Amino acid sequence: MSFRCKSLALSAAVPILFTTMSAWSGSAQFQGVELDNGARLTPSLYTGLGYENNIALTNDDEINSFFWQISPTLDISLNPGDVLHEFSFSSDIARYSSSQADNYEDFSLTYAGLWEPTSRHRLNLEVVQSFAHQKRGSQQTRFELDRFDEVLQLNSNNTLLAYEFGSEVARAQLGASVGYGSSNYTNFEAFTDQFELENYNLATWFHYRPGKVTSLSLDISHNKVNYKNDLQGLLSRNSNVTTFLIGAIWDGLAKTTGKLKVGAENRRFDSEQRKNLTSFAIDAEVIWSPKTYSEVTISASRRTIEGVGNNDATLNTSFNANWSHSWSENLTTRVGYDFLKRDEQGSSDQFISRKDNQHYVYAEFNRYLSRWAVLSTQLKVLTNNSNQSLFDYDNQQLSIGVTVGL
């Protein structure tokens, strides 16, 4: 039962482009505990210490601090008959010794359900409820750092229901999905109410396999974006986003799996005074596994997201590459590079010409101390170059910790 929604994924209502420290995500390496009824529980707990430069992403008066971090997770899998249920709870809590304003507590609850009554019919339901934060100095808080004595707190939920017809070994599959997402800030409401929004998503896809390992694909998605509290005197930011992608998906070709889809995205605003946007869209990924213990992943994407402030939208072009390698049964590493080009589209305010190039390099070292414990070290380096000097900054993080699990 490997089916997951193959439609254009319902994106988070307010994407957080810069992710702060994240614990080592290796809980899947633990085997978990199988109960008498067949359920499998996989708990884990990460605890670590680290140091971060320029926590608030400024180009002057940088804040540097040591921090400690704790991240418990619990995964539950149930597989009664032809139904698969997967539940996941995760939390990430961090405390800074020199900057209490940057402390945060993130929580996430996820459910993924798959019902496959026959080999020709698959129904997939995914629900994600998250209680996250937005890093100080990023996005809306860029020019008002002194105003906020804590990180912005964001609650979001995303629900996606998908159906696919056609056996996975058949020449063709046809699918459709419907989704809903929303985001709400829970502090500094006088400022954050203007950014609360909801998404309604419809998508369909068709795959046809002319050969043994390659399928041709067509994806169509429509997303309606509604802002809950448009500011008085400003143009409506509500929009309808339609995306068409055509391409190919392959599995087992020269030790690779992947997809390459290209097309167009059209964003039409409710306000006639905002300029509608049509842009080239990309959704591509290649996973190369030359050995069972080594894997290289390369991906690229080009899509618009919601603008910051009164901007119409932001055109994001990204490229990502990473290499994971197991040197032995007890030693693994992962290194990677992410590139993000941000181009603000249309505005009547000071952000009209903002263009950013963001470079993110990371390295991860994991040493299994036993079946139940992993020592991990992470190094992360972020650099943002902008045509507006206020948005030039860099950020570095170094952490070490231990994950224990079953």
Side-chain angles (χ1 to χ4, degrees):
M1 293 187 181
S2 58
F3 168 64
R4 285 293 180 267
C5 297
K6 296 179 182 178
S7 61
L8 301 177
L10 179 63
S11 61
V14 179
I16 299 177
L17 301 181
F18 177 80
T19 303
T20 57
M21 303 161 299
S22 60
W24 176 66
S25 56
S27 60
Q29 303 293 329
F30 299 112
Q31 297 180 357
V33 178
E34 185 171 351
L35 305 182
D36 292 340
N37 60 1
R40 183 173 294 277
L41 307 181
T42 309
S44 65
L45 175 66
Y46 170 87
T47 55
L49 299 171
Y51 186 81
E52 182 175 2
N53 288 326
N54 196 15
I55 302 168
L57 310 180
T58 60
N59 64 343
D60 56 12
D61 299 326
E62 296 182 0
I63 302 173
N64 307 320
S65 179
F66 287 97
F67 63 84
W68 63 261
Q69 187 178 9
I70 182 170
S71 303
T73 65
L74 175 62
D75 297 329
I76 303 174
S77 178
L78 307 172
N79 194 185
D82 53 13
V83 180
L84 173 64
H85 303 283
E86 294 179 344
F87 302 87
S88 179
F89 165 79
S90 63
S91 176
D92 186 18
I93 301 170
R95 292 292 183 268
Y96 291 87
S97 61
S98 301
S99 182
Q100 295 184 1
D102 293 290
N103 295 341
Y104 66 84
E105 303 90 25
D106 292 349
F107 303 91
S108 177
L109 296 169
T110 302
Y111 167 77
L114 172 63
W115 180 41
E116 193 171 359
T118 72
S119 62
R120 301 175 65 186
H121 302 275
R122 289 170 295 283
L123 189 68
N124 181 210
L125 173 64
E126 296 183 2
V127 181
V128 180
Q129 177 69 57
S130 65
F131 307 88
H133 77 286
Q134 185 176 303
K135 193 173 180 66
R136 286 201 314 152
S138 65
Q139 300 189 136
Q140 298 95 336
T141 66
R142 190 70 189 95
F143 290 110
E144 305 188 63
L145 192 60
D146 294 338
R147 176 178 176 179
F148 302 99
D149 57 0
E150 62 180 354
V151 297
L152 297 188
Q153 298 169 2
L154 174 67
N155 293 351
S156 65
N157 68 78
N158 289 278
T159 301
L160 191 64
L161 177 65
Y163 167 75
E164 187 174 66
F165 173 76
S167 168
E168 292 187 347
V169 298
R171 285 192 175 273
Q173 296 88 32
L174 176 65
S177 68
V178 57
Y180 170 79
S182 68
S183 67
N184 302 279
Y185 290 88
T186 59
N187 58 349
F188 303 108
E189 287 86 351
F191 172 75
T192 57
D193 279 354
Q194 61 182 302
F195 305 115
E196 296 186 352
L197 55 80
E198 54 189 2
N199 290 288
Y200 301 88
N201 179 272
L202 292 173
T204 185
W205 63 92
F206 176 71
H207 296 163
Y208 177 74
R209 182 169 54 85
K212 293 183 178 181
V213 297
T214 303
S215 297
L216 303 179
S217 68
L218 173 65
D219 296 81
I220 304 174
S221 175
H222 182 77
N223 190 37
K224 183 174 181 57
V225 182
N226 287 329
Y227 282 85
K228 300 178 182 179
N229 305 293
D230 265 328
L231 293 179
Q232 185 176 3
L234 294 181
L235 303 177
S236 172
R237 293 165 292 172
N238 296 344
S239 63
N240 288 272
V241 185
T242 304
T243 306
F244 297 87
L245 293 174
I246 187 169
I249 304 170
W250 65 91
D251 187 2
L253 179 63
K255 299 183 179 180
T256 70
T257 60
K259 60 183 177 180
L260 175 60
K261 303 178 182 181
V262 297
E265 179 187 83
N266 176 256
R267 181 181 287 259
R268 301 184 63 86
F269 292 93
D270 289 358
S271 172
E272 295 181 355
Q273 295 174 276
R274 290 190 184 272
K275 183 179 179 180
N276 295 330
L277 303 172
T278 299
S279 57
F280 179 58
I282 300 175
D283 181 17
E285 182 181 62
V286 176
I287 302 174
W288 177 48
S289 302
K291 302 291 183 181
T292 57
Y293 50 82
S294 191
E295 182 175 281
V296 176
T297 302
I298 299 174
S299 62
S301 175
R302 193 172 193 264
R303 218 55 78 74
T304 62
I305 64 169
E306 298 308 300
V308 178
N310 194 34
N311 289 290
D312 292 343
T314 300
L315 178 60
N316 276 1
T317 304
S318 65
F319 171 82
N320 315 96
N322 68 74
W323 173 44
S324 300
H325 189 82
S326 296
W327 301 94
S328 68
E329 293 183 356
N330 300 320
L331 178 62
T332 66
T333 58
R334 189 166 77 102
V335 295
Y337 167 73
D338 296 347
F339 171 77
L340 174 64
K341 181 179 181 181
R342 293 167 37 89
D343 188 357
E344 298 288 356
Q345 303 291 306
S347 174
S348 59
D349 59 24
Q350 59 184 316
F351 300 112
I352 185 170
S353 60
R354 179 184 168 191
K355 300 179 186 295
D356 290 5
N357 288 329
Q358 190 174 97
H359 305 270
Y360 180 49
V361 180
Y362 56 91
E364 184 178 278
F365 170 93
N366 301 305
R367 178 70 166 85
Y368 281 78
L369 306 177
S370 69
R371 281 186 53 193
W372 305 280
V374 184
L375 174 68
S376 58
T377 302
Q378 294 180 333
L379 173 64
K380 305 177 182 180
V381 178
L382 174 73
T383 301
N384 195 78
N385 299 317
S386 177
N387 63 340
Q388 297 185 20
S389 60
L390 284 174
F391 293 93
D392 286 335
Y393 61 82
D394 53 37
N395 171 276
Q396 301 87 33
Q397 302 174 27
L398 177 63
S399 63
I400 184 169
V402 174
T403 302
V404 295
L406 299 177

